[in-house]
Amino acid sequence: MIIDKKECLEFFLNNEEFLVISHEHPDGDTLGCAFALCEILKQMGKRRAFVCADEITGDFSFMTEGFVNDELSSPVRVSVDVADKNLFGKLPEDIIGNIDLAIDHHMSHTMFADKVYLENRAAACEIIYDLAKSLPVEINRYMRNCLYTGISTDTGCFRYNNTSALSFSIAAKLMEAGIDSARINKLMFETKTKSFLKLEMLSRETLEYHFNEKCAVITVNQEMYKQSGSTEHECYPITALPRQIEGVLVGVVIKEKEDGSFGISVRTDGDIDASEICARLGGGGHKGAAGCRADCGYEEIKERILASVKKSLDGIDL
Amino acid sequence: MIIDKKECLEFFLNNEEFLVISHEHPDGDTLGCAFALCEILKQMGKRRAFVCADEITGDFSFMTEGFVNDELSSPVRVSVDVADKNLFGKLPEDIIGNIDLAIDHHMSHTMFADKVYLENRAAACEIIYDLAKSLPVEINRYMRNCLYTGISTDTGCFRYNNTSALSFSIAAKLMEAGIDSARINKLMFETKTKSFLKLEMLSRETLEYHFNEKCAVITVNQEMYKQSGSTEHECYPITALPRQIEGVLVGVVIKEKEDGSFGISVRTDGDIDASEICARLGGGGHKGAAGCRADCGYEEIKERILASVKKSLDGIDL
């Protein structure tokens, strides 16, 4: 059931014990939401605990340092920034089977919870900020740092098209009150691991152009992970690279998985629809960013994705 | 003479013909200021023209498209975002010898103009925005795009430490009224030329570590420009790279100039002072970013800069 802000506030006021749940492979937004919400609940004199299927990486240690879960007997369950039940990852069914409230900003949200508070915002942390302003709490520096982390990471530091006037105006208020933006920006946007640098170099050597250089393809294979000491988890920034090249309308990254299958990321520009390109191979996504998977060999998968790219480029003036 | 905002507004209200001047190698901030100011003056029924020592690159064509200088007989001269007279580049002395008003945000401003309106802001475009709000003009979409370009480029898209609550709050107001942020962000931050990609690959192959990997050095030489088809002008983003590597406190980029001399860029983190490192070689700059030049051979210049880095790392727990 979709609820409004007032009902969402009542949910927090009327319950006493909360289990706050982030999605698997937790990012800045789901963690920023979770730890800001836990701080809100603590200030309100409630008992709260946090749970997530995967470990939290060191970048976010400023959120978790000194954080201790309260012991809970029969908490209500609140998910933050989780669009679909399968994104909880490997959490047991007795936790994720009965979510009482889902707070989310994905318009693709699949309504797995009893109550759903959904707002079309750049980051779920923007929703938590709005809630905090209406609750009897002080938005302290810790909370501000959590919320800024979520907003800045989900907007690519205010660069992606989802960035709104509201994102900027919340950032202005957080910064005016005081945040550690220099430290957070450095951690989130200005740090490259040595293994990632090597992976990036190796994968960039595979760069090839197609269709009058309107399409660029980069391949990342398991051998590169071995050579660089990097992992699939670090591969994400590479997916943006081919489309960033001057004149390229479709950027494709073909990533070999551990089991020998392939994941393909497509990023497009202008009027080219990435989700259409991926749908022809059974995948999906958004207009500018989509993906698909395939179990066939590398050459075949490349041929198939290029054939699909070609169809979407037809009619474009090459 | 330093003037305040009221005097600056009077300057625009009381004069009729304006020559607006940007600094050499014009960037988003100096151009955003200049073209927003020209639009302000046009709306006020004044006559205005723009001049700059260097050509404007294609990224900024949305500012210059359809822009035509008015013919002027004896204009007042206004420089925007120009910190020092030598930054006008190769403009004739009869233009830059008598600047009537300098609008600037650099605290290192050298007071070359008759009147100076100086505000310590992240971008000079923030100052122009404030002036526009107090003048009898409509801040239209063209002006908003110019101002957003200046603020976003001078803050590294709201990532650098100069980004303030005011930067965010002006961005919020510009975006609320409507700007082409997707197009501008793509042009300014998401586009890499093929020649730059090649230069980046070649230069990254020179990456070396010193002092227990606390210092990373990258070299860019003339041969790399030839091989990649790139130019010194495109080299700038590379200067940030060594310091972005995990664990690196001092990032050094040694750039060979056309005349065989070397320019050295130093970027530091934490308590290490880049200007101190460069001062030992006759250079200078800020705490986090500084530079110096040298005419000796490559091996000697590397030895000298590393000796200076070592001095500044002494006492740091390696």
Side-chain angles (χ1 to χ4, degrees):
Chain A
M1 178 179 73
I2 287 276
I3 61 169
D4 63 16
K5 185 178 169 187
K6 186 167 161 282
E7 291 165 305
C8 186
L9 293 169
E10 276 161 10
F11 179 90
F12 289 112
L13 291 164
N14 297 339
N15 287 289
E16 295 308 319
E17 287 197 335
F18 299 82
L19 182 64
V20 179
I21 314 169
S22 280
H23 62 67
E24 62 177 345
H25 310 307
D27 61 10
D29 196 29
T30 196
L31 293 175
C33 283
F35 288 98
L37 182 55
C38 283
E39 174 68 18
I40 289 171
L41 294 168
K42 192 180 129 199
Q43 285 193 28
M44 289 169 71
K46 312 282 184 179
R47 298 180 69 77
R48 85 288 175 272
F50 166 83
V51 69
C52 175
D54 296 301
E55 220 179 307
I56 298 173
T57 61
D59 299 352
F60 301 108
S61 61
F62 73 90
M63 295 187 190
T64 56
E65 231 168 60
F67 182 90
V68 180
N69 278 338
D70 293 326
E71 268 180 42
L72 306 180
S73 51
S74 58
V76 290
R77 283 151 194 174
V78 184
S79 71
V80 283
D81 191 40
V82 182
D84 186 82
K85 210 182 142 182
N86 68 26
L87 296 172
F88 284 116
K90 50 185 187 336
L91 284 177
E93 187 63 23
D94 64 342
I95 289 185
I96 59 167
N98 297 291
I99 302 295
D100 297 284
L101 170 64
I103 297 177
D104 194 21
H105 70 126
H106 296 95
M107 289 302 106
S108 57
H109 186 93
T110 55
M111 304 288 166
F112 53 82
D114 185 36
K115 294 178 164 68
V116 177
Y117 181 45
L118 192 65
E119 293 273 352
N120 189 7
R121 293 297 198 82
C125 274
E126 296 185 11
I127 305 172
I128 302 292
Y129 174 80
D130 285 348
L131 292 171
K133 283 206 308 178
S134 302
L135 287 166
V137 298
E138 178 224 352
I139 303 180
N140 59 19
R141 193 175 192 98
Y142 171 79
M143 223 189 279
R144 293 194 298 268
N145 281 337
C146 290
L147 296 172
Y148 175 79
T149 300
I151 297 169
S152 63
T153 53
D154 255 32
T155 57
C157 210
F158 308 95
R159 181 171 304 187
Y160 301 158
N161 296 349
N162 62 354
T163 311
S164 72
L166 270 169
S167 318
F168 278 127
S169 107
I170 296 172
K173 279 166 199 148
L174 295 174
M175 190 162 262
E176 194 164 14
I179 49 176
D180 300 314
S181 54
R183 186 164 58 104
I184 295 169
N185 289 345
K186 175 151 177 70
L187 277 169
M188 302 298 148
F189 309 111
E190 296 278 317
T191 305
K192 295 185 175 197
T193 64
K194 285 166 190 155
S195 53
F196 172 76
L197 278 178
K198 278 183 209 151
L199 179 69
E200 200 186 11
M201 286 288 275
L202 291 168
S203 63
R204 276 170 64 164
E205 276 163 20
T206 70
L207 174 65
E208 50 183 68
Y209 295 101
H210 297 271
F211 313 127
N212 207 11
E213 308 204 333
K214 290 286 176 287
C215 172
V217 181
I218 281 180
T219 301
V220 185
N221 60 36
Q222 289 293 319
E223 181 59 30
M224 293 176 193
Y225 292 128
K226 264 183 230 154
Q227 271 191 51
S228 62
S230 186
T231 62
E232 271 184 52
H233 180 70
E234 284 196 327
C235 188
Y236 185 73
I238 294 175
T239 57
L241 184 65
R243 208 238 36 214
Q244 286 175 353
I245 301 168
E246 193 183 28
V248 167
L249 297 178
V250 183
V252 176
V253 177
I254 305 176
K255 292 167 285 185
E256 187 187 12
K257 307 264 169 198
E258 248 180 298
D259 63 6
S261 72
F262 291 93
I264 300 158
S265 300
V266 176
R267 300 286 180 274
T268 55
D269 200 24
D271 287 333
I272 315 283
D273 189 338
S275 70
E276 186 188 279
I277 292 171
C278 290
R280 292 192 196 102
L281 279 81
H286 306 278
K287 194 184 172 196
C292 53
R293 302 199 58 156
D295 288 323
C296 53
Y298 173 71
E299 290 303 329
E300 189 184 337
I301 186 65
K302 194 159 86 179
E303 207 172 284
R304 285 173 60 193
I305 189 76
L306 285 175
S308 181
V309 169
K310 189 168 188 298
K311 267 194 190 147
S312 290
L313 282 174
D314 268 354
I316 302 284
D317 187 21
L318 298 179
Chain B
M1 177 180 72
I2 287 276
I3 62 169
D4 62 18
K5 185 178 169 187
K6 187 166 159 281
E7 291 165 303
C8 186
L9 293 169
E10 277 161 10
F11 179 89
F12 289 112
L13 291 164
N14 297 338
N15 287 289
E16 295 307 319
E17 289 197 334
F18 298 81
L19 182 64
V20 179
I21 314 169
S22 279
H23 62 68
E24 63 176 346
H25 310 308
D27 60 11
D29 196 28
T30 196
L31 293 175
C33 283
F35 288 98
L37 183 54
C38 283
E39 174 68 19
I40 290 170
L41 294 168
K42 192 181 129 199
Q43 284 193 28
M44 289 169 72
K46 312 283 184 179
R47 300 181 67 76
R48 85 289 176 272
F50 166 82
V51 68
C52 175
D54 296 301
E55 221 179 307
I56 298 173
T57 61
D59 299 354
F60 302 107
S61 61
F62 74 89
M63 295 187 189
T64 56
E65 232 167 60
F67 182 91
V68 180
N69 278 339
D70 293 327
E71 267 181 44
L72 307 179
S73 50
S74 59
V76 290
R77 284 151 194 173
V78 185
S79 70
V80 283
D81 190 39
V82 182
D84 186 82
K85 210 182 143 183
N86 68 28
L87 296 171
F88 284 116
K90 51 185 185 336
L91 284 177
E93 187 63 24
D94 63 342
I95 290 185
I96 60 168
N98 297 292
I99 303 295
D100 297 285
L101 170 64
I103 297 177
D104 194 21
H105 70 125
H106 296 96
M107 288 302 107
S108 57
H109 186 93
T110 56
M111 305 288 165
F112 53 82
D114 185 36
K115 295 178 164 66
V116 177
Y117 181 45
L118 193 65
E119 292 273 351
N120 189 8
R121 293 297 198 82
C125 275
E126 297 184 10
I127 305 172
I128 302 292
Y129 173 80
D130 285 348
L131 292 171
K133 282 207 308 178
S134 302
L135 287 166
V137 297
E138 178 224 353
I139 303 181
N140 59 18
R141 193 174 190 99
Y142 171 80
M143 223 189 279
R144 293 195 298 268
N145 281 338
C146 290
L147 296 171
Y148 175 79
T149 300
I151 297 169
S152 62
T153 53
D154 255 32
T155 57
C157 210
F158 307 95
R159 183 171 304 187
Y160 300 158
N161 296 349
N162 62 353
T163 311
S164 72
L166 269 169
S167 318
F168 278 126
S169 106
I170 295 173
K173 279 166 199 146
L174 295 174
M175 189 162 263
E176 194 162 16
I179 49 175
D180 301 313
S181 54
R183 187 164 57 103
I184 295 170
N185 288 344
K186 173 149 179 70
L187 277 170
M188 302 298 147
F189 308 112
E190 295 279 316
T191 305
K192 294 185 175 196
T193 64
K194 285 165 191 157
S195 53
F196 172 76
L197 278 178
K198 279 182 209 152
L199 180 69
E200 200 186 11
M201 286 288 275
L202 290 168
S203 63
R204 276 169 64 163
E205 276 163 20
T206 70
L207 174 65
E208 51 183 68
Y209 296 101
H210 297 270
F211 313 126
N212 207 12
E213 308 204 334
K214 290 287 176 287
C215 172
V217 181
I218 280 179
T219 301
V220 185
N221 60 36
Q222 288 294 318
E223 181 59 30
M224 293 175 193
Y225 292 126
K226 264 184 229 156
Q227 270 191 51
S228 62
S230 185
T231 61
E232 271 184 52
H233 181 69
E234 284 196 328
C235 188
Y236 185 73
I238 294 175
T239 56
L241 185 65
R243 208 237 37 212
Q244 286 175 354
I245 301 169
E246 194 183 29
V248 167
L249 297 178
V250 184
V252 176
V253 176
I254 305 176
K255 292 167 284 184
E256 187 187 12
K257 306 266 169 197
E258 250 180 295
D259 63 4
S261 71
F262 291 93
I264 300 157
S265 299
V266 176
R267 300 286 181 272
T268 55
D269 199 24
D271 287 332
I272 315 283
D273 189 337
S275 70
E276 185 188 278
I277 292 171
C278 290
R280 293 193 196 102
L281 280 79
H286 306 280
K287 195 184 172 196
C292 53
R293 302 200 59 157
D295 289 322
C296 54
Y298 172 72
E299 290 303 330
E300 189 185 335
I301 186 65
K302 193 159 88 179
E303 207 172 283
R304 286 172 60 193
I305 190 76
L306 285 174
S308 181
V309 169
K310 189 168 190 294
K311 266 194 190 148
S312 289
L313 283 173
D314 267 355
I316 303 284
D317 188 19
L318 298 179

